Amino acid sequence: MATYTVSNIYIYPIKSLGGISLQQAQAQERGLQYDRRWMLVDEKGGFLSQRKFAQMALLQVKLEQNGLLVSHKQGLLNPLFIPFEQEGGKEVTVTIWDDTCTAREVDGDVTMWFSKALGMFARLVYMPENTRRIVDPTYAFEEEVVSFADAYPFLIIGQEALNNLNSKLAKPIPMNRFRPNIVFTGGQPHDEDTWDSFTIGEVNFRAAKPCARCVLTTIDQQTAIKGAEPLRTLATYRMQNNKVLFGQNLVHEGEGIIKVGNQVQVLQWKQ
């Protein structure tokens, strides 16, 4: 029986901006603490993503004691501090794919900074505690809720899946192309596809559905330059129903700490 060990934990406090590597994280109702609780939207409240605006990759977020520090990877602007404790903020309606929910605007100076950094209007909003965005009922188990993530509170990928992919590529790519929350070592490529339920640290997880990959995976996170890979290669061996699958979307039960070094204890395998 393979041993699976958590090797990396990542959060992405502002949707579609640079992620943060952590040694441990608190799993809360919506996902990991601070993960995708903020989001950039256009004038109509539609979410902004690297899928359309690759330059978002150039904005890096750092976790400070009392808030987030956002900087431009090419140093084009002075860093921006965003406190965790927000005063009021105008209520706005935002859309993420087919979901509509209520958010609150972070102040206007912040909007000006992001608009300048990205060269287009970009308003920063955050998700207040009273907003309830429900996971797609087709794949949910207990009406779980999610942050501003695309659809699910967690994404897990095995390091062996990336190693296998990189063995087929002319130039290897880093895991940050896939934006996972949890990475583990051990086992065979794509073992995560075979898990139904498992525990990490204090938290129980259940596989919701495989993650269908998009053009974001083709964007170099350091330069914001797009290429053809890895989608071109993945399409040769990970295509199902016209979708390229890589990693598993998860829902969870309860709250608790997960840490790098935790063992993944598989409770049930998929039939």
Side-chain angles (χ1 to χ4, degrees):
M1 181 70 84
T3 300
Y4 305 109
T5 307
V6 174
S7 54
N8 299 92
I9 297 170
Y10 298 101
I11 58 170
Y12 309 85
I14 302 176
K15 184 178 178 70
S16 232
L17 301 193
I20 300 169
S21 174
L22 300 174
Q23 287 302 299
Q24 66 174 57
Q26 170 86 26
Q28 300 178 329
E29 187 182 25
R30 291 172 171 81
L32 293 179
Q33 185 179 25
Y34 305 128
D35 188 43
R36 298 174 176 99
R37 300 302 202 282
W38 291 262
M39 177 171 73
L40 291 165
V41 298
D42 61 20
E43 292 98 328
K44 295 179 178 174
F47 80 100
L48 300 178
S49 161
Q50 285 185 41
R51 291 172 184 85
K52 280 190 179 177
F53 308 105
Q55 68 267 34
M56 293 174 76
L58 297 176
L59 299 184
Q60 181 59 49
V61 184
K62 189 179 169 196
L63 215 50
E64 303 263 296
Q65 193 172 351
N66 301 314
L68 307 175
L69 191 69
V70 187
S71 57
H72 196 288
K73 289 178 183 176
Q74 296 171 346
L76 297 188
L77 292 165
N78 289 329
L80 169 75
F81 181 73
I82 301 160
F84 291 139
E85 296 300 323
Q86 297 290 338
E87 296 294 323
K90 189 172 74 174
E91 198 170 273
V92 288
T93 299
V94 298
T95 53
I96 310 106
W97 302 114
D98 297 330
D99 293 342
T100 300
C101 63
T102 301
R104 289 197 173 274
E105 183 179 8
V106 182
D107 77 52
D109 287 347
V110 171
T111 290
M112 280 174 60
W113 189 95
F114 279 107
S115 299
K116 194 171 179 182
L118 296 172
M120 61 188 188
F121 181 86
R123 172 185 286 141
L124 187 70
V125 299
Y126 70 97
M127 181 178 277
E129 286 302 311
N130 59 359
T131 290
R132 310 288 294 172
R133 182 179 169 225
I134 306 293
V135 170
D136 181 347
T138 313
Y139 301 102
F141 296 94
E142 300 286 342
E143 288 200 338
E144 291 91 353
V145 293
V146 61
S147 63
F148 290 135
D150 276 349
Y152 300 94
F154 297 91
L155 171 64
I156 191 168
I157 299 175
Q159 182 63 43
E160 285 304 316
L162 181 65
N163 294 347
N164 182 48
L165 167 62
N166 278 335
S167 73
K168 304 173 194 296
L169 296 176
K171 186 181 175 189
I173 61 168
M175 187 64 89
N176 65 12
R177 296 285 191 99
F178 296 98
R179 302 176 74 80
N181 295 112
I182 303 165
V183 181
F184 66 91
T185 56
Q188 298 299 309
H190 308 289
D191 271 4
E192 60 271 29
D193 293 354
T194 67
W195 303 346
D196 187 48
S197 60
F198 57 94
T199 62
I200 297 174
E202 306 170 343
V203 187
N204 294 326
F205 293 93
R206 295 178 76 168
K209 71 188 287 283
C211 186
R213 308 316 308 215
C214 68
V215 69
L216 196 154
T217 59
T218 67
I219 300 167
D220 184 314
Q221 294 296 295
Q222 288 307 115
T223 63
I225 295 170
K226 277 186 186 176
E229 296 293 8
L231 286 184
R232 183 165 61 191
T233 296
L234 281 170
T236 65
Y237 72 104
R238 291 292 297 173
M239 186 79 95
Q240 200 174 315
N241 299 326
N242 279 335
K243 291 181 176 172
V244 169
L245 304 179
F246 197 88
Q248 283 287 326
N249 291 303
L250 311 174
V251 293
H252 69 300
E253 299 168 322
E255 302 191 354
I257 300 286
I258 64 170
K259 298 178 181 179
V260 169
N262 280 160
Q263 299 296 297
V264 181
Q265 306 285 350
V266 180
L267 304 175
Q268 195 166 352
W269 305 84
K270 288 188 176 163
Q271 299 299 321

